Amino acid sequence: MQANQANQANQANQANQANQAKNPQKELALFDLDHTLLDVDSDYLWGEYIVKHNLVDEAEYRTANQKFYQDYIEGTLDATEYNEFVAQFLSSLPIDRLHELREDYIKSEIEPHIRPKAMEVLCQHIEQGHDVVIISATNDFVVSAIAKRFGIEDSHVLSTPLEIKDERYTGKLTDKPNFQEGKIYHLNKWLDKQQVAGIDFKKTYAYSDSKNDIPLLEWADVAICVSPDDTLHAHALAHRWAVEDWSL
């Protein structure tokens, strides 16, 4: 990871934690991960990574992974089926070994694809005293570690939750996938916890590239479409949403 990005992430983490203890009425910025903060799809790349390192059968896994990814692009993905497919591999290895693989994967496959503009905008929100949440359809095994590269801790990460029992992944989910309307479901649960802590948000922002996040963008007070797909781009123009190009 470039030194400048690492410094920005550390500063963002410290500022985001400080913000959480300040004003009980503040603003909230929600960032999608894949093709928004990153220039790639982290879920798909994890599959390619384990294929490349001969951890799964190449032909079988790659065929399935590509089919699921195409379904995602087309908006027809069965998110539960896909996440259970991903979690099956995770269930095959001890967590310590998975963490080793994940660290190498992030350094080799993810860090080169962190969008500088994404880091800049995320840090601007934090500098303004806003709470920042990364909200992704990808599973929590992958997202939680990537979020730390942006200075965002687990308490401010919403992703698809995978089940762990006896220090092993089981191959199952513990709740609904954090996908499409599922993002609103998980976001509302998170907001309920914030209200219990006495925190309300007077204004909300949402950033995403995908038509799958139209429910999230409609929920927010301010919607920002980042290098959007064709469907979202048309929707953004029709609804006068901001459109920005963050591509590398």
Side-chain angles (χ1 to χ4, degrees):
M1 190 174 187
Q2 295 180 358
N4 186 46
Q5 287 183 341
N7 289 335
Q8 286 179 303
N10 289 333
Q11 291 170 4
N13 180 34
Q14 293 171 6
N16 208 31
Q17 289 181 345
N19 289 341
Q20 294 160 30
K22 288 181 180 178
N23 185 3
Q25 189 176 59
K26 55 180 100 174
E27 299 184 20
L28 173 65
L30 302 160
F31 288 85
D32 175 51
L33 180 64
D34 300 318
H35 295 295
T36 302
L37 294 177
L38 304 176
D39 214 36
V40 291
D41 185 287
S42 61
D43 222 353
Y44 179 78
L45 275 189
W46 170 252
E48 291 297 293
Y49 174 85
I50 62 176
V51 166
K52 182 168 66 176
H53 290 271
N54 300 313
L55 297 165
V56 291
D57 179 85
E58 178 176 0
E60 181 179 344
Y61 194 96
R62 179 165 281 155
T63 297
N65 199 35
Q66 290 178 341
K67 172 63 167 60
F68 283 123
Y69 183 61
Q70 189 60 39
D71 288 347
Y72 171 78
I73 296 298
E74 295 174 0
T76 60
L77 178 69
D78 183 325
T80 298
E81 182 182 5
Y82 173 64
N83 280 285
E84 288 183 347
F85 163 73
V86 173
Q88 279 304 119
F89 167 74
L90 298 180
S91 69
S92 71
L93 293 174
I95 284 183
D96 287 349
R97 176 58 179 149
L98 290 172
H99 287 175
E100 291 173 0
L101 292 169
R102 182 178 65 183
E103 185 63 19
D104 180 65
Y105 151 75
I106 292 175
K107 287 181 178 178
S108 62
E109 308 295 336
I110 296 299
E111 287 182 1
H113 295 284
I114 291 175
R115 289 173 160 172
K117 182 64 176 178
M119 183 70 84
E120 176 188 335
V121 172
L122 184 148
C123 289
Q124 285 174 354
H125 276 287
I126 292 174
E127 288 166 3
Q128 293 171 44
H130 304 168
D131 271 11
V132 169
V133 167
I134 291 178
I135 181 167
S136 174
T138 299
N139 66 77
D140 52 10
F141 169 77
V142 169
V143 177
S144 61
I146 296 175
K148 288 182 172 58
R149 265 51 178 190
F150 290 90
I152 306 302
E153 295 300 318
D154 290 350
S155 63
H156 278 56
V157 175
L158 300 176
S159 51
T160 296
L162 302 183
E163 184 179 59
I164 298 175
K165 286 185 177 180
D166 300 323
E167 297 298 313
R168 301 277 301 215
Y169 282 92
T170 67
K172 300 295 182 182
L173 279 60
T174 62
D175 206 338
K176 295 180 182 179
N178 195 45
F179 179 64
Q180 295 179 339
E181 293 288 353
K183 285 193 175 182
I184 305 301
Y185 165 79
H186 285 285
L187 177 58
N188 283 332
K189 289 178 67 175
W190 185 84
L191 289 170
D192 287 344
K193 293 179 181 178
Q194 301 307 301
Q195 286 189 328
V196 169
I199 298 172
D200 290 306
F201 296 101
K202 62 183 179 181
K203 188 174 183 180
T204 56
Y205 307 80
Y207 295 81
S208 180
D209 70 291
S210 174
K211 61 180 175 290
N212 290 305
D213 280 338
I214 287 176
L216 180 68
L217 293 162
E218 289 178 336
W219 176 91
D221 297 317
V222 180
I224 303 95
C225 302
V226 176
S227 303
D229 61 41
D230 290 343
T231 300
L232 179 56
H233 191 265
H235 193 89
L237 294 178
H239 290 78
R240 298 184 178 181
W241 289 350
V243 176
E244 298 186 6
D245 183 5
W246 291 4
S247 57
L248 293 175

